[in-house]
Amino acid sequence: LMAYLRHQLAKARLLTSQLEQHNQWHQILLENSSLTVVGERFLELLASGQETQELPPVQLALKKLSPHHNAIYCLWGQWQLGQIAGVEAAQTERRPLGPGTGCYERWQDLVLPILGRKFVYGALVTTAALPDASRRHWLLMCHHLGAFCDRQLARQQEAQATSALQQERTSKAIIAAVSHDFRTPLATIMGASSSLLAQAGRLSIQEQQAQAQRIYQQAQHLSQVSQNLLQLARLGTDVQIRCSWEDVGEITGGLLGQLPFKARVQVKLPLAAPLIWCNSVLLNQALFNLLENAHRHGPQNTP
């Protein structure tokens, strides 16, 4: 009877210790997102759970999380050449293998796969035979790690989907900008060129030069707008808009000179206006769009 009670007491202590270890492991997975940190803490936790004996040689293989599940392994511990084959076999079988598992019983190592819902993210490998209770305990912790990998992979996929949606929205915005910002310069170029073709004999040399100058200025403006639109298309990367110190008077003067419609525009600038750090073409285009919208949609004859 005393022997039976001692056995039950030892079993209860073991279950209590395993429960505490599961709680610690759950907290670690909640507080960390780095796969490297989680792998190191996993092995430390396994070592701390061996109260009466030293931790047997253990190796951990985890795949770097990627939407493409055939990723490269991160390895902890001293690996032998044939042990990776055991990890691959456990991935294929999606179950533990080795002594006492009922699968590949003659395999020299005990391999516990890290299972997720769809993928196998790696395995825990040990060369020592484990009691059934310890093997089930370790396998459950591996399942927790697999669930952690599932969550991290889902976050990556969500971030990729969000990025793809943002790129689609950016593309639509660029298309809208192209149709809006190109319309007026193209109309000016077409009008000036048609005047040169239709009235070449009736226009003086000065008038022909003025029309050609308008065509050249608008074509140059189109080229600058095209370059800036390409910059805007790459705003999601590390490319930055090229800026320089610009004079406000020159920007507004050039803007008023290219307006294709008659409007009463009042400009108020300080006498000693400081230079501003900007991209003059983009700022000019933004002001032009504001004036054009106000002229098109506002009351007529309104300044």
Side-chain angles (χ1 to χ4, degrees):
L1 179 60
M2 292 300 298
Y4 173 77
L5 292 177
R6 283 195 296 268
H7 174 72
Q8 292 297 322
L9 180 60
K11 187 176 180 180
R13 287 176 176 172
L14 176 62
L15 291 176
T16 302
S17 174
Q18 291 178 350
L19 180 59
E20 292 177 355
Q21 199 172 34
H22 276 300
N23 291 334
Q24 294 177 15
W25 183 224
H26 179 69
Q27 193 65 29
I28 289 173
L29 295 179
L30 287 178
E31 295 176 351
N32 295 278
S33 59
S34 170
L35 195 66
T36 303
V37 174
V38 167
E40 293 175 353
R41 297 294 302 275
F42 189 25
L43 296 180
E44 292 174 0
L45 190 60
L46 292 179
S48 65
Q50 302 296 111
E51 299 178 353
T52 59
Q53 56 182 350
E54 294 183 359
L55 180 70
V58 175
Q59 291 85 31
L60 176 63
L62 276 179
K63 287 184 176 179
K64 292 183 178 180
L65 296 180
S66 169
H68 307 288
H69 63 279
N70 292 323
I72 301 174
Y73 281 114
C74 297
L75 302 178
W76 287 265
Q78 298 180 354
W79 287 81
Q80 297 178 2
L81 186 60
Q83 289 180 321
I84 292 294
V87 175
E88 296 292 340
Q91 176 176 340
T92 303
E93 297 291 336
R94 293 186 62 88
R95 56 174 296 183
L97 59 89
T101 62
C103 180
Y104 292 92
E105 286 282 350
R106 295 185 179 180
W107 197 269
Q108 60 180 357
D109 300 320
L110 175 63
V111 184
L112 303 177
I114 299 171
L115 296 176
R117 291 183 178 179
K118 294 183 179 180
F119 307 131
V120 180
Y121 296 101
L124 189 68
V125 180
T126 178
T127 57
L130 291 178
D132 291 343
S134 296
R135 185 175 68 248
R136 289 193 296 268
H137 172 60
W138 285 23
L139 183 59
L140 183 58
M141 296 182 69
C142 288
H143 288 340
H144 289 325
L145 182 54
F148 165 82
C149 294
D150 277 341
R151 292 192 297 271
Q152 295 298 107
L153 185 59
R155 292 191 183 100
Q156 290 185 5
Q157 292 172 341
E158 181 182 4
Q160 285 191 343
T162 303
S163 176
L165 180 61
Q166 184 62 36
Q167 289 180 358
E168 183 180 358
R169 290 175 178 173
T170 302
S171 300
K172 292 181 179 179
I174 291 173
I175 293 174
V178 168
S179 62
H180 185 279
D181 296 344
F182 281 20
R183 183 172 56 247
T184 301
L186 286 175
T188 303
I189 292 174
M190 292 174 64
S193 59
S194 62
S195 297
L196 287 176
L197 290 175
Q199 305 177 15
R202 289 175 289 178
L203 295 177
S204 64
I205 296 179
Q206 291 79 7
E207 291 175 335
Q208 293 180 13
Q209 290 179 347
Q211 294 288 8
Q213 182 67 20
R214 290 186 64 191
I215 294 174
Y216 174 76
Q217 290 177 347
Q218 294 301 318
Q220 191 176 33
H221 179 71
L222 275 179
S223 176
Q224 293 174 334
V225 170
S226 300
Q227 294 177 4
N228 284 284
L229 286 174
L230 291 177
Q231 280 190 315
L232 291 176
R234 297 192 297 265
L235 280 182
T237 63
D238 295 334
V239 179
Q240 296 181 350
I241 296 177
R242 291 187 294 271
C243 296
S244 58
W245 292 105
E246 302 288 349
D247 182 79
V248 182
E250 292 183 1
I251 294 177
T252 53
L255 171 67
L256 297 179
Q258 71 180 59
L259 291 178
F261 50 83
K262 295 181 180 180
R264 289 186 295 161
V265 181
Q266 301 174 1
V267 180
K268 295 182 180 180
L269 295 176
L271 295 178
L275 299 179
I276 60 174
W277 180 255
C278 68
N279 183 295
S280 60
V281 176
L282 288 178
L283 186 58
N284 179 287
Q285 190 64 49
L287 295 173
F288 179 88
N289 291 345
L290 287 174
L291 291 176
E292 185 183 34
N293 289 336
H295 175 71
R296 181 180 302 172
H297 303 292
Q300 294 184 356
N301 300 322
T302 301

PDB file of all heavy atoms in Angstrom, residues 270-283:
ATOM      1  N   PRO A 270       4.205  86.941 -49.415  1.00  0.00           N
ATOM      2  CA  PRO A 270       5.012  87.926 -48.663  1.00  0.00           C
ATOM      3  C   PRO A 270       6.151  88.446 -49.522  1.00  0.00           C
ATOM      4  O   PRO A 270       6.603  87.773 -50.458  1.00  0.00           O
ATOM      5  CB  PRO A 270       5.519  87.120 -47.459  1.00  0.00           C
ATOM      6  CG  PRO A 270       5.439  85.689 -47.888  1.00  0.00           C
ATOM      7  CD  PRO A 270       4.272  85.585 -48.815  1.00  0.00           C
ATOM      8  N   LEU A 271       6.594  89.621 -49.210  1.00  0.00           N
ATOM      9  CA  LEU A 271       7.662  90.226 -50.020  1.00  0.00           C
ATOM     10  C   LEU A 271       8.949  89.407 -49.960  1.00  0.00           C
ATOM     11  O   LEU A 271       9.636  89.258 -50.968  1.00  0.00           O
ATOM     12  CB  LEU A 271       7.921  91.668 -49.528  1.00  0.00           C
ATOM     13  CG  LEU A 271       6.743  92.643 -49.720  1.00  0.00           C
ATOM     14  CD1 LEU A 271       7.106  94.008 -49.142  1.00  0.00           C
ATOM     15  CD2 LEU A 271       6.391  92.756 -51.206  1.00  0.00           C
ATOM     16  N   ALA A 272       9.250  88.888 -48.792  1.00  0.00           N
ATOM     17  CA  ALA A 272      10.473  88.083 -48.645  1.00  0.00           C
ATOM     18  C   ALA A 272      10.081  86.643 -48.339  1.00  0.00           C
ATOM     19  O   ALA A 272      10.324  86.123 -47.246  1.00  0.00           O
ATOM     20  CB  ALA A 272      11.359  88.658 -47.549  1.00  0.00           C
ATOM     21  N   ALA A 273       9.439  86.005 -49.305  1.00  0.00           N
ATOM     22  CA  ALA A 273       8.987  84.632 -49.102  1.00  0.00           C
ATOM     23  C   ALA A 273      10.196  83.694 -49.047  1.00  0.00           C
ATOM     24  O   ALA A 273      11.074  83.755 -49.915  1.00  0.00           O
ATOM     25  CB  ALA A 273       8.056  84.205 -50.228  1.00  0.00           C
ATOM     26  N   PRO A 274      10.292  82.840 -48.029  1.00  0.00           N
ATOM     27  CA  PRO A 274      11.436  81.939 -47.946  1.00  0.00           C
ATOM     28  C   PRO A 274      11.328  80.820 -48.985  1.00  0.00           C
ATOM     29  O   PRO A 274      10.245  80.526 -49.512  1.00  0.00           O
ATOM     30  CB  PRO A 274      11.323  81.370 -46.529  1.00  0.00           C
ATOM     31  CG  PRO A 274       9.856  81.428 -46.222  1.00  0.00           C
ATOM     32  CD  PRO A 274       9.350  82.657 -46.916  1.00  0.00           C
ATOM     33  N   LEU A 275      12.439  80.225 -49.305  1.00  0.00           N
ATOM     34  CA  LEU A 275      12.433  79.048 -50.179  1.00  0.00           C
ATOM     35  C   LEU A 275      11.775  77.882 -49.450  1.00  0.00           C
ATOM     36  O   LEU A 275      11.861  77.761 -48.227  1.00  0.00           O
ATOM     37  CB  LEU A 275      13.859  78.679 -50.582  1.00  0.00           C
ATOM     38  CG  LEU A 275      14.649  79.729 -51.367  1.00  0.00           C
ATOM     39  CD1 LEU A 275      16.051  79.222 -51.664  1.00  0.00           C
ATOM     40  CD2 LEU A 275      13.932  80.117 -52.657  1.00  0.00           C
ATOM     41  N   ILE A 276      11.106  77.010 -50.192  1.00  0.00           N
ATOM     42  CA  ILE A 276      10.446  75.847 -49.593  1.00  0.00           C
ATOM     43  C   ILE A 276      11.058  74.565 -50.162  1.00  0.00           C
ATOM     44  O   ILE A 276      11.467  74.511 -51.322  1.00  0.00           O
ATOM     45  CB  ILE A 276       8.918  75.875 -49.831  1.00  0.00           C
ATOM     46  CG1 ILE A 276       8.605  75.879 -51.324  1.00  0.00           C
ATOM     47  CG2 ILE A 276       8.294  77.064 -49.151  1.00  0.00           C
ATOM     48  CD1 ILE A 276       7.117  75.754 -51.622  1.00  0.00           C
ATOM     49  N   TRP A 277      11.115  73.540 -49.317  1.00  0.00           N
ATOM     50  CA  TRP A 277      11.683  72.242 -49.696  1.00  0.00           C
ATOM     51  C   TRP A 277      10.551  71.382 -50.255  1.00  0.00           C
ATOM     52  O   TRP A 277       9.674  70.931 -49.530  1.00  0.00           O
ATOM     53  CB  TRP A 277      12.306  71.580 -48.477  1.00  0.00           C
ATOM     54  CG  TRP A 277      12.919  70.226 -48.748  1.00  0.00           C
ATOM     55  CD1 TRP A 277      12.405  69.022 -48.406  1.00  0.00           C
ATOM     56  CD2 TRP A 277      14.156  69.968 -49.392  1.00  0.00           C
ATOM     57  NE1 TRP A 277      13.242  68.004 -48.808  1.00  0.00           N
ATOM     58  CE2 TRP A 277      14.335  68.557 -49.424  1.00  0.00           C
ATOM     59  CE3 TRP A 277      15.133  70.783 -49.970  1.00  0.00           C
ATOM     60  CZ2 TRP A 277      15.453  67.952 -49.990  1.00  0.00           C
ATOM     61  CZ3 TRP A 277      16.241  70.172 -50.538  1.00  0.00           C
ATOM     62  CH2 TRP A 277      16.402  68.780 -50.547  1.00  0.00           C
ATOM     63  N   CYS A 278      10.526  71.181 -51.579  1.00  0.00           N
ATOM     64  CA  CYS A 278       9.412  70.475 -52.194  1.00  0.00           C
ATOM     65  C   CYS A 278       9.826  69.955 -53.559  1.00  0.00           C
ATOM     66  O   CYS A 278      10.941  70.190 -54.036  1.00  0.00           O
ATOM     67  CB  CYS A 278       8.195  71.402 -52.344  1.00  0.00           C
ATOM     68  SG  CYS A 278       8.456  72.728 -53.544  1.00  0.00           S
ATOM     69  N   ASN A 279       8.910  69.243 -54.194  1.00  0.00           N
ATOM     70  CA  ASN A 279       9.035  68.881 -55.595  1.00  0.00           C
ATOM     71  C   ASN A 279       8.142  69.837 -56.366  1.00  0.00           C
ATOM     72  O   ASN A 279       6.911  69.788 -56.240  1.00  0.00           O
ATOM     73  CB  ASN A 279       8.593  67.429 -55.811  1.00  0.00           C
ATOM     74  CG  ASN A 279       8.777  66.970 -57.254  1.00  0.00           C
ATOM     75  OD1 ASN A 279       8.139  67.486 -58.153  1.00  0.00           O
ATOM     76  ND2 ASN A 279       9.648  66.003 -57.451  1.00  0.00           N
ATOM     77  N   SER A 280       8.733  70.706 -57.134  1.00  0.00           N
ATOM     78  CA  SER A 280       7.977  71.795 -57.758  1.00  0.00           C
ATOM     79  C   SER A 280       6.940  71.276 -58.747  1.00  0.00           C
ATOM     80  O   SER A 280       5.854  71.850 -58.874  1.00  0.00           O
ATOM     81  CB  SER A 280       8.941  72.758 -58.457  1.00  0.00           C
ATOM     82  OG  SER A 280       9.671  72.073 -59.468  1.00  0.00           O
ATOM     83  N   VAL A 281       7.240  70.193 -59.455  1.00  0.00           N
ATOM     84  CA  VAL A 281       6.290  69.668 -60.447  1.00  0.00           C
ATOM     85  C   VAL A 281       5.048  69.124 -59.759  1.00  0.00           C
ATOM     86  O   VAL A 281       3.913  69.384 -60.163  1.00  0.00           O
ATOM     87  CB  VAL A 281       6.974  68.589 -61.309  1.00  0.00           C
ATOM     88  CG1 VAL A 281       5.976  67.969 -62.277  1.00  0.00           C
ATOM     89  CG2 VAL A 281       8.137  69.184 -62.080  1.00  0.00           C
ATOM     90  N   LEU A 282       5.248  68.353 -58.672  1.00  0.00           N
ATOM     91  CA  LEU A 282       4.104  67.793 -57.959  1.00  0.00           C
ATOM     92  C   LEU A 282       3.274  68.882 -57.301  1.00  0.00           C
ATOM     93  O   LEU A 282       2.040  68.851 -57.318  1.00  0.00           O
ATOM     94  CB  LEU A 282       4.574  66.787 -56.909  1.00  0.00           C
ATOM     95  CG  LEU A 282       5.116  65.453 -57.431  1.00  0.00           C
ATOM     96  CD1 LEU A 282       5.590  64.586 -56.269  1.00  0.00           C
ATOM     97  CD2 LEU A 282       4.062  64.715 -58.229  1.00  0.00           C
ATOM     98  N   LEU A 283       3.953  69.861 -56.709  1.00  0.00           N
ATOM     99  CA  LEU A 283       3.225  70.950 -56.067  1.00  0.00           C
ATOM    100  C   LEU A 283       2.473  71.774 -57.105  1.00  0.00           C
ATOM    101  O   LEU A 283       1.311  72.169 -56.902  1.00  0.00           O
ATOM    102  CB  LEU A 283       4.198  71.834 -55.287  1.00  0.00           C
ATOM    103  CG  LEU A 283       3.571  72.947 -54.448  1.00  0.00           C
ATOM    104  CD1 LEU A 283       2.592  72.384 -53.442  1.00  0.00           C
ATOM    105  CD2 LEU A 283       4.657  73.748 -53.731  1.00  0.00           C
TER     106      LEU A 283
END
